[in-house]
Amino acid sequence: MDYASGLLYPVKCTEPGGIRRGQPVYLSGVVAGITMEAKLARANASNTMPAFGLCALDGRNGDIILVILVGYLQFVDTSAHGLGAIVYVSATVAGQLTTTIPTSPNIQQACAKVMRVNSTQGELFVFLMSLPASMLS
């Protein structure tokens, strides 16, 4: 079963509680000068932003996971968002997507557009942009 199609990049999950499919991640470091490390992104701090991509498959701390940078991500919970909504990295909860546009001093980064609304079979078109919300509507 394909969960993602598009540009995928392998990274090492270094989040103590793991990372779930659909959560935004930032690059937090490098292992042995080769493998990038990822943790959950949060828009309230420059050290947890910008988001690099969305996790394509669940992973535990220490696992190599795939991150989608652009393309389609399927089988995610999009039930909290409307069809066609633009979702952003949350400023209040690490690893959460929100339709609430972060305001200054938080960092505003759009991540995806909701293509299908469903609690288990939702779909996102992933694109990561640091643009003012007015340019996305």
Side-chain angles (χ1 to χ4, degrees):
M1 178 182 306
D2 291 333
Y3 289 93
S5 61
L7 181 57
L8 300 165
Y9 193 85
V11 297
K12 182 177 182 178
C13 172
T14 56
E15 189 67 44
I19 299 173
R20 294 186 325 272
R21 182 176 46 248
Q23 290 188 296
V25 299
Y26 73 98
L27 298 178
S28 59
V30 179
V31 178
I34 299 173
T35 305
M36 303 300 286
E37 296 176 322
K39 288 188 172 184
L40 296 174
R42 186 171 171 184
N44 71 333
S46 61
N47 64 334
T48 63
M49 289 288 282
F52 178 66
L54 300 184
C55 180
L57 288 173
D58 297 351
R60 293 176 294 198
N61 189 18
D63 288 350
I64 298 297
I65 60 173
L66 291 176
V67 172
I68 184 166
L69 311 179
V70 64
Y72 288 92
L73 182 60
Q74 300 173 322
F75 304 103
V76 292
D77 183 358
T78 56
S79 61
H81 313 297
L83 183 63
I86 303 295
V87 290
Y88 299 82
V89 177
S90 172
T92 56
V93 179
Q96 187 173 45
L97 296 175
T98 180
T99 54
T100 302
I101 302 167
T103 56
S104 186
N106 299 308
I107 300 164
Q108 192 177 100
Q109 186 180 16
C111 289
K113 182 174 184 175
V114 177
M115 304 303 288
R116 182 177 185 195
V117 177
N118 192 282
S119 62
T120 59
Q121 296 181 12
E123 185 174 319
L124 297 170
F125 177 71
V126 179
F127 62 90
L128 285 99
M129 296 182 165
S130 295
L131 293 174
S134 59
M135 294 184 73
L136 296 171
S137 49

